[in-house]
Amino acid sequence: MFVVDSTVTVPEHKADDLIEIYRNRSRLVDEAEGFLSFQLLQNDRKPGELTVHLEWESKQAYLNWARSEQFKKIHELEKQYPDQELQGIVPKVKKYEVVAE
């Protein structure tokens, strides 16, 4: 299994706005071959810190998704958020190979 975490920090007063965006996400990733799960995590001590947690069957499945037209489409949509404070946020991405369960 391969895990990708993308963490952003937004002003705390914008956290609920971003959560709502993810609750209404396109779900294109859900259709990708090898996709297992999506979760949006909120830091319990820093409410403005949100992490998108994705699980994949393999690193190759993730790479195929990251190179896909659907991936590009989703990330183009992110650049078009009407809220300027959310539009320019760049996530910190960490990738992990699951080595034990």
Side-chain angles (χ1 to χ4, degrees):
M1 185 183 330
F2 194 70
V3 175
V4 179
D5 288 339
S6 299
T7 301
V8 296
T9 301
V10 299
E12 286 188 18
H13 69 280
K14 293 290 181 180
D16 287 339
D17 293 344
L18 190 56
I19 291 167
E20 192 61 26
I21 288 169
Y22 277 103
R23 284 186 176 143
N24 295 307
R25 66 191 178 86
S26 68
R27 301 192 182 277
L28 286 174
V29 69
D30 299 22
E31 300 166 11
E33 188 173 333
F35 172 78
L36 297 175
S37 70
F38 166 96
Q39 288 136 0
L40 180 64
L41 311 174
Q42 186 174 35
N43 187 314
D44 69 336
R45 294 190 180 169
K46 300 176 190 174
E49 183 180 293
L50 298 160
T51 299
V52 172
H53 177 84
L54 300 173
E55 294 181 355
W56 296 87
E57 288 178 1
S58 66
K59 182 178 182 178
Q60 190 59 53
Y62 166 74
L63 291 174
N64 291 344
W65 160 251
R67 295 175 183 142
S68 73
E69 287 302 315
Q70 291 90 345
F71 179 90
K72 292 175 190 170
K73 181 178 179 179
I74 288 173
H75 289 85
E76 281 301 315
L77 289 173
E78 289 175 356
K79 294 177 187 174
Q80 298 172 22
Y81 288 156
D83 188 317
Q84 295 296 314
E85 285 184 275
L86 297 179
Q87 201 175 68
I89 294 170
V90 178
K92 294 179 183 172
V93 180
K94 295 183 179 181
K95 301 171 188 166
Y96 306 91
E97 189 76 41
V98 176
V99 295
E101 289 189 59

